């Protein structure tokens, strides 16, 4: 949900040597779920890609395999001395009439250079490959150039990075007016029409809040995206917001035990514990207590605030601080906000029952066999997928659904009674004109006079709080406080409570990657989506949290994109003479 990893990605780079031996893989056996996952839409028809001659495994930090771009040989691998030069172009995208937003985007076009010369196709162009789109998290974060590195340059010729409304280099920064999920969906489609004309996005990579946007877009335009890779699943439902920013429940609701991860990983499900729902405020109690130290009037008792409810008193206070007109108040609130969110992000969910095998296994839902199984997360680079074996015969282990559900952090498995309650809440608000909560300015004299680094910064001539726009904190808080308003008609689809399987079965093929210790977007959301979408390949990485740069998570993202990309480009090459299908950007964005 709140993808704070994007701030880290600007300042933190994993050492290359630590990434070498990590990657994920399917199995040495013919894997039925891969067959289901590698289906993709071409001109409206579902085609199953040929699955011979698998690509070489690699991590985010390994050089890609070498490919014969003329495809004259039977194998995709070539001995040519191939490297890639990235040409970055950028542009601005206007939004609807009356909107102040102008969106910034970049196109990373990767040009093959073979033996020191730019590779030219037989038709005299450099075109080849696929087009990927990155949808960043937040809400409010922004894209970074290194996000393009997840896409293999020999498979994805172009990668598009879009800064959503109010984010990154889009203007105005931090703007909340004309900023809702339906409008963001239209932005993605508007960008596709500008860059790709009548062609679909080949693969969308969405992380955290970007998963919400990717799913909403695919729900609205299912024929305009061929595949999706989602990391840290978020549907921005009320229960997810309450997990991160909700006030703790009454003291008489005690914390309960978490799942015994050691027993789950080793296949012993008899001792897996059950637990009652909790909130992040209980798990990270020290950080929450500091987060609550906001010297403000208790605005949550004001009856004029229809969007506020009993579990979001602290969130509502931050709403007025971050979105009010007082710059010093905003700067102090942002500092406290990021400290709390960073604490959740960096620590991850505490797990007392880890085993030594935790970081080397995945729990994977196989859409074809409709079963859970284990896969190894550790492989050796430069071996084909089929050369890597599952450990300990894990495909023979039947993983009990009760053990899988024990990974939940704040919710119980779906049941009809709870689903009815969720549907009733949504339907009750459809007759109400939804509006965002009015913003009330907070006077600077209500602030703690003993305060903070921000006070010292404010007295420093190099820091001007009036020019400080903490866009991610502002937009995350705005979206979280006004969730019904910003999601609008997508609330039914994203609630996964309507049991309308046609909504989800019409979505493009998708691989979802989830860290079991993710405390920003806990595994509950992934399991809820899995409950209504059995064709989703869900891959849960034990010992991993929210970061897309976690060694296992990053390797799994690369692997998933490679799987889809390899299948699509190989089928495209086989069909190019008869179909003439070519997923490229318009010429003005690719000419050298």
């Amino acid at each position: 949900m709140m993808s704070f990893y994007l701030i880290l990605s600007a300042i933190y780079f994993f050492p290359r040597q630590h990434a070498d031996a990590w990657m994920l893989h399917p199995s040495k056996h013919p894997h039925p779920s891969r067959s289901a996952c590698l289906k993709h839409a071409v001109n409206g028809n579902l085609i199953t890609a040929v699955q011979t001659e698998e690509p070489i495994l690699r991590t985010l930090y390994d050089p890609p395999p070498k490919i014969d771009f003329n495809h004259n040989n039977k194998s995709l691998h070539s001995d040519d001395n191939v490297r890639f030069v990235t040409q970055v172009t950028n542009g601005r995208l206007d939004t609807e009439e009356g909107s102040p937003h102008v969106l910034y985007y970049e196109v990373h076009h990767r040009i093959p250079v073979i033996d020191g010369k730019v590779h030219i196709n037989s038709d005299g162009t450099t075109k080849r490959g696929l087009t990927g789109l990155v949808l960043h998290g937040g809400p409010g974060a922004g894209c970074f150039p290194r996000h393009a590195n997840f896409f293999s340059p020999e498979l994805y010729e172009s990668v598009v990075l879009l800064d959503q409304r109010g984010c990154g280099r889009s203007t105005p920064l931090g703007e909340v007016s004309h900023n809702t999920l339906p409008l963001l969906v239209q932005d993605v489609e508007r960008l596709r029409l500008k860059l790709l004309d009548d062609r679909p996005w080949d693969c969308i990579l969405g992380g955290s809040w970007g998963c919400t946007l990717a799913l909403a877009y695919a729900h609205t335009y299912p024929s305009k995206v061929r595949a999706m890779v989602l990391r840290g699943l978020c549907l921005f439902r009320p229960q997810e917001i309450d997990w991160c920013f909700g006030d703790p429940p009454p003291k008489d609701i005690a914390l309960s035990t978490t799942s015994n991860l050691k027993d789950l990983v080793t296949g012993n499900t008899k001792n897996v514990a059950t637990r009652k729902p909790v909130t992040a405020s209980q798990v990270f109690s020290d950080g929450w207590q500091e987060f609550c130290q906001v010297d403000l009037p208790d605005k949550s008792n004001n009856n004029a605030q229809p969007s506020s409810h009993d579990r979001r008193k602290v969130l509502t206070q931050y709403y007025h601080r971050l979105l009010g007109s007082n710059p010093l108040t905003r700067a102090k609130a942002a500092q406290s906000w990021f400290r709390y969110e960073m604490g959740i992000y960096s620590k991850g969910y505490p797990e007392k029952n880890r085993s030594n095998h935790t970081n080397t296994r995945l729990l994977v839902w196989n859409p074809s066999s409709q079963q859970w199984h284990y896969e190894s997360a550790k492989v050796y680079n430069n071996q084909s997928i089929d050369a890597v074996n599952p450990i300990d015969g894990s495909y023979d282990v039947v993983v009990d659904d009760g053990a899988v559900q024990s990974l939940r952090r704040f919710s119980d498995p779906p049941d009809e009674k709870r689903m009815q309650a969720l549907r009733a809440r949504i339907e009750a608000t459809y007759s109400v004109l939804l509006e965002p909560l009015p913003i009330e300015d907070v006077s600077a004299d209500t602030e703690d006079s003993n305060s903070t680094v921000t006070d010292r910064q404010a007295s420093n001539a190099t820091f001007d709080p009036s020019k400080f726009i903490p866009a991610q904190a502002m937009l995350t808080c705005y979206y979280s406080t006004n969730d019904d308003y910003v999601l609008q008609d997508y609330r039914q689809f994203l609630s996964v409570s309507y049991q309308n399987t046609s909504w989800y079965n019409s979505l493009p093929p998708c691989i979802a990657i989830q860290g079991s210790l993710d405390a920003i977007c806990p595994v509950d959301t992934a399991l809820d989506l899995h409950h209504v979408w059995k064709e989703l390949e869900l891959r849960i990485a034990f010992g991993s949290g929210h970061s897309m740069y976690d060694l296992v998570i990053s390797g799994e993202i690369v692997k998933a994109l490679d799987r889809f990309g390899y299948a699509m480009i190989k089928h495209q090459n086989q069909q190019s003479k008869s179909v003439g299908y070519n997923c490229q950007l318009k010429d003005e964005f690719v000419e050298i």
Side-chain angles (χ1 to χ4, degrees):
M1 181 169 29
M2 279 50 71
S3 296
F4 201 79
Y5 75 87
L6 291 171
I7 292 179
L8 287 182
S9 66
I11 58 175
Y12 183 71
F13 294 85
F14 278 113
R16 165 69 175 81
Q17 64 269 24
H18 295 317
D20 282 28
W22 290 91
M23 190 61 181
L24 308 182
H25 65 87
S27 162
K28 69 174 181 179
H29 306 295
H31 197 323
S33 68
R34 286 160 58 199
S35 172
C37 241
L38 294 179
K39 288 181 178 179
H40 57 278
V42 179
N43 294 339
N45 298 318
L46 285 177
I47 307 296
T48 301
V50 177
Q51 295 181 48
T52 59
E53 302 166 357
E54 297 287 0
I56 296 295
L57 288 175
R58 65 185 182 91
T59 69
L60 178 60
Y61 304 94
D62 288 316
K66 299 171 182 178
I67 293 180
D68 176 7
F69 292 99
N70 284 317
H71 307 292
N72 294 323
N73 301 326
K74 293 182 179 180
S75 172
L76 285 179
H77 305 297
S78 170
D79 293 330
D80 289 331
N81 181 21
V82 181
R83 64 184 181 89
F84 291 87
V85 175
T86 299
Q87 179 188 46
V88 180
T89 58
N90 59 64
R92 297 284 175 175
L93 184 69
D94 292 328
T95 54
E96 73 279 1
E97 185 177 355
S99 167
H101 295 280
V102 178
L103 306 185
Y104 175 88
Y105 65 89
E106 287 183 351
V107 179
H108 290 239
H109 175 225
R110 284 85 81 82
I111 304 169
V113 177
I114 302 177
D115 292 329
K117 298 180 181 180
V118 173
H119 178 76
I120 303 297
N121 296 327
S122 57
D123 62 358
T125 72
T126 61
K127 290 183 178 181
R128 45 133 205 117
L130 307 168
T131 301
L133 171 68
V134 176
L135 297 178
H136 64 72
C143 282
F144 292 89
R146 75 185 301 213
H147 291 165
N149 294 347
F150 287 96
F151 294 81
S152 172
E154 60 294 307
L155 297 174
Y156 296 89
E157 178 182 8
S158 300
V159 180
V160 181
L161 310 181
L162 172 65
D163 285 341
Q164 298 159 31
R165 297 188 181 211
C167 308
R169 281 175 279 186
S170 293
T171 57
L173 184 63
E175 179 60 57
V176 297
S177 68
H178 296 82
N179 201 331
T180 64
L181 180 57
L183 293 175
L184 298 187
V185 168
Q186 294 307 311
D187 292 340
V188 175
E189 177 62 4
R190 190 178 290 111
L191 183 62
R192 185 192 68 83
L193 291 172
K194 180 174 183 178
L195 298 182
L196 299 177
D197 201 5
D198 60 342
R199 305 181 186 108
W201 300 109
D202 289 305
C203 191
I204 292 179
L205 171 60
S208 199
W209 160 257
C211 297
T212 310
L213 178 54
L215 286 165
Y217 177 79
H219 177 56
T220 307
Y221 299 101
S223 65
K224 304 307 180 185
V225 53
R226 301 171 75 192
M228 295 188 297
V229 174
L230 305 179
R231 188 271 318 161
L233 280 165
C234 164
L235 299 176
F236 220 75
R237 301 172 298 169
Q239 57 266 43
E240 298 171 42
I241 297 169
D242 291 340
W243 158 261
C244 276
F245 300 115
D247 301 339
K251 293 182 179 179
D252 58 346
I253 300 180
L255 284 173
S256 56
T257 57
T258 59
S259 61
N260 189 331
L261 188 56
K262 180 179 180 180
D263 287 331
L264 178 61
V265 171
T266 57
N268 178 10
T269 61
K270 294 182 179 180
N271 298 323
V272 174
T274 59
R275 47 105 205 91
K276 296 177 181 178
V278 296
T279 65
S281 60
Q282 293 173 286
V283 178
F284 304 94
S285 55
D286 292 342
W288 177 260
Q289 289 302 316
E290 184 179 1
F291 187 61
C292 289
Q293 301 307 310
V294 285
D295 187 15
L296 289 176
D298 187 2
K299 295 178 178 293
S300 60
N301 292 326
N302 187 339
N303 294 329
Q305 298 179 15
S307 295
S308 179
H309 55 80
D310 289 342
R311 293 192 63 187
R312 297 184 185 174
K313 293 180 180 179
V314 174
L315 178 63
T316 303
Q317 292 174 349
Y318 274 90
Y319 179 78
H320 298 295
R321 299 179 81 188
L322 287 168
L323 298 171
S325 61
N326 188 292
L328 181 57
T329 298
R330 181 186 306 116
K332 292 180 179 180
Q335 182 187 50
S336 180
W337 179 282
F338 285 132
R339 184 185 298 116
Y340 171 66
E341 191 177 18
M342 182 58 191
I344 300 176
Y345 167 86
S346 61
K347 294 177 182 177
Y349 201 94
E351 185 58 71
K352 298 180 181 179
N353 295 304
R354 285 193 185 184
S355 76
N356 292 332
H357 300 294
T358 295
N359 295 329
T360 60
R361 281 199 176 186
L362 304 166
L363 183 62
V364 179
W365 171 256
N366 183 325
S368 294
S369 67
Q370 298 289 292
Q371 289 183 336
W372 292 95
H373 62 255
Y374 296 116
E375 289 185 11
S376 171
K378 187 175 182 179
V379 301
Y380 298 95
N381 291 326
N382 297 325
Q383 292 188 15
S384 73
I385 291 173
D386 290 341
V388 186
N389 301 326
I391 48 178
D392 302 330
S394 59
Y395 274 84
D396 298 327
V397 176
V398 178
V399 182
D400 180 75
D401 185 67
V404 176
Q405 298 300 330
S406 73
L407 291 172
R408 290 178 174 271
R409 302 305 183 186
F410 63 83
S411 67
D412 295 319
D415 60 66
E416 183 54 30
K417 183 177 180 180
R418 187 159 63 93
M419 295 299 100
Q420 276 186 338
L422 291 172
R423 292 193 294 268
R425 178 190 179 277
I426 294 171
E427 290 163 5
T429 59
Y430 268 105
S431 59
V432 179
L433 179 62
L434 296 176
E435 294 182 352
L437 180 67
I439 300 169
E440 300 182 17
D441 277 333
V442 178
S443 173
D445 60 15
T446 65
E447 299 295 336
D448 184 358
S449 60
N450 295 324
S451 207
T452 71
V453 173
T454 306
D455 282 324
R456 293 193 296 272
Q457 290 174 329
S459 63
N460 189 322
T462 62
F463 178 76
D464 182 357
S466 65
K467 296 180 180 179
F468 176 56
I469 307 296
Q472 182 166 342
M474 294 169 65
L475 288 173
T476 297
C477 187
Y478 177 80
Y479 268 62
S480 299
T481 305
N482 301 297
D483 51 325
D484 284 340
Y485 169 74
V486 296
L487 297 187
Q488 297 187 8
D489 289 343
Y490 287 104
R491 287 176 295 160
Q492 289 181 317
F493 169 71
L494 295 171
S495 73
V496 296
S497 64
Y498 281 79
Q499 302 296 323
N500 188 340
T501 55
S502 64
W503 283 351
Y504 308 99
N505 291 338
S506 64
L507 294 172
C510 180
I511 300 174
I513 302 149
Q514 178 68 44
S516 70
L517 302 184
D518 190 338
I520 295 289
C521 299
V523 72
D524 305 53
T525 299
L527 293 176
D528 285 346
L529 185 59
H530 155 75
H531 181 72
V532 297
W533 190 13
K534 299 300 185 183
E535 291 303 307
L536 170 72
E537 181 175 319
L538 177 56
R539 307 176 69 83
I540 301 175
F542 293 126
S544 295
H546 190 65
S547 173
M548 70 192 304
Y549 298 110
D550 172 274
L551 294 182
V552 175
I553 297 292
S554 66
E556 180 71 351
I557 294 172
V558 168
K559 169 75 172 309
L561 291 169
D562 281 1
R563 285 171 61 189
F564 280 135
Y566 175 81
M568 286 188 285
I569 200 168
K570 185 163 188 177
H571 178 78
Q572 178 178 311
N573 293 334
Q574 292 171 340
Q575 299 295 317
S576 60
K577 293 183 179 180
S578 58
V579 178
Y581 188 80
N582 190 357
C583 291
Q584 306 298 334
L585 293 171
K586 288 182 179 178
D587 288 348
E588 66 246 40
F589 291 99
V590 299
E591 293 302 327
I592 299 177

